[in-house]
């Protein structure tokens, strides 16, 4: 966030400098109010640009073996251009390198998901996935991965056919 703020300020100074250069070139025939107009316009363009490039930058910096399985597009009334072209401000990535089998329950895979948000810290979410039964369980509050803990049907959530985690993990075989 700090670097985005610095970039926006630098864009504003650049926009104001361009307006002042234009005023000098045209020897004062341009009105003085174009200087703050150019500064503000450059700051808005810089802000919008960082919003639209954030997702591509994050995906480009993901380690090998990470796959984006879900992305969240953003639209807002105070950003009317987002209704024409929404931007991605969050996504979930599956770490294929973290996939391991569970000895307590055969067929259950343990995997780590990472939740990324535009202005949020990255959150790691450990999951247990049973592809054969079409179910999943979040293991955040499960310090012990015993057969009794994983065998409790009340803790499992069904994964429908179109579930992105199921498509990325179970349907690849």
């Amino acid at each position: 966030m700090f670097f985005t703020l610095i970039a926006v300020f630098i864009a504003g100074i650049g926009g104001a400098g361009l307006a002042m250069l234009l005023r000098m070139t045209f020897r004062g025939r341009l009105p003085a109010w174009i200087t703050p107009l150019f500064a503000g316009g450059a700051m808005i363009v810089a802000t919008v640009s960082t919003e639209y490039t954030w997702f591509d930058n994050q995906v480009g910096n993901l380690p090998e073996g990470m796959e984006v399985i879900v992305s969240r597009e953003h639209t807002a009334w105070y950003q009317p251009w987002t209704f024409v072209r929404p931007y991605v401000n969050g996504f979930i990535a599956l770490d294929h390198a973290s996939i391991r089998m569970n000895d307590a329950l055969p067929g259950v895979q343990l995997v780590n998901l990472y939740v990324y948000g535009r202005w949020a810290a990255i959150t790691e979410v450990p999951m247990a996935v049973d592809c054969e039964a079409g179910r999943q369980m979040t293991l955040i509050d499960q310090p012990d991965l015993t057969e009794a803990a994983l065998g409790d049907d009340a803790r499992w959530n069904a994964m429908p056919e179109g579930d992105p985690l199921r498509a990325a993990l179970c349907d690849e075989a």
Side-chain angles (χ1 to χ4, degrees):
M1 187 168 159
F2 177 73
F3 292 116
T4 301
L5 186 65
I6 296 299
V8 168
F9 283 145
I10 289 172
I13 291 168
L18 178 64
M20 291 188 330
L21 182 66
L22 286 172
R23 287 194 72 222
M24 283 178 32
T25 302
F26 290 107
R27 294 190 177 93
R29 283 185 243 141
L30 294 176
W33 53 262
I34 71 160
T35 302
L37 180 73
F38 273 46
M43 292 171 84
I44 290 171
V45 167
T47 302
V48 170
S49 173
T50 59
E51 294 292 344
Y52 279 99
T53 58
W54 174 81
F55 176 68
D56 293 330
N57 291 337
Q58 291 298 315
V59 170
N61 290 328
L62 287 176
E64 182 131 354
M66 296 277 277
E67 174 189 2
V68 175
I69 60 172
V70 177
S71 61
R72 180 183 64 231
E73 290 187 340
H74 175 76
T75 58
W77 64 269
Y78 55 86
Q79 296 172 319
W81 57 88
T82 61
F83 290 104
V84 175
R85 183 174 172 241
Y87 63 87
V88 177
N89 71 345
F91 64 94
I92 299 174
L94 168 66
D95 184 9
H96 285 281
S98 74
I99 298 173
R100 56 208 181 280
M101 299 307 287
N102 183 12
D103 295 333
L105 288 174
V108 174
Q109 300 178 56
L110 303 175
V111 64
N112 292 332
L113 299 179
Y114 293 90
V115 181
Y116 288 75
R118 175 73 172 106
W119 299 110
I122 301 168
T123 305
E124 180 180 356
V125 181
M127 300 283 293
V129 178
D130 186 354
C131 290
E132 293 174 13
R135 59 188 188 161
Q136 64 184 358
M137 178 193 317
T138 305
L139 301 175
I140 291 177
D141 297 327
Q142 302 287 334
D144 59 333
L145 295 177
T146 63
E147 187 172 347
L150 290 174
D152 183 10
D153 286 337
R155 297 179 187 209
W156 289 93
N157 298 312
M159 286 192 308
E161 279 300 318
D163 186 88
L165 179 59
R166 184 177 193 159
L169 193 60
C170 303
D171 296 344
E172 67 184 21

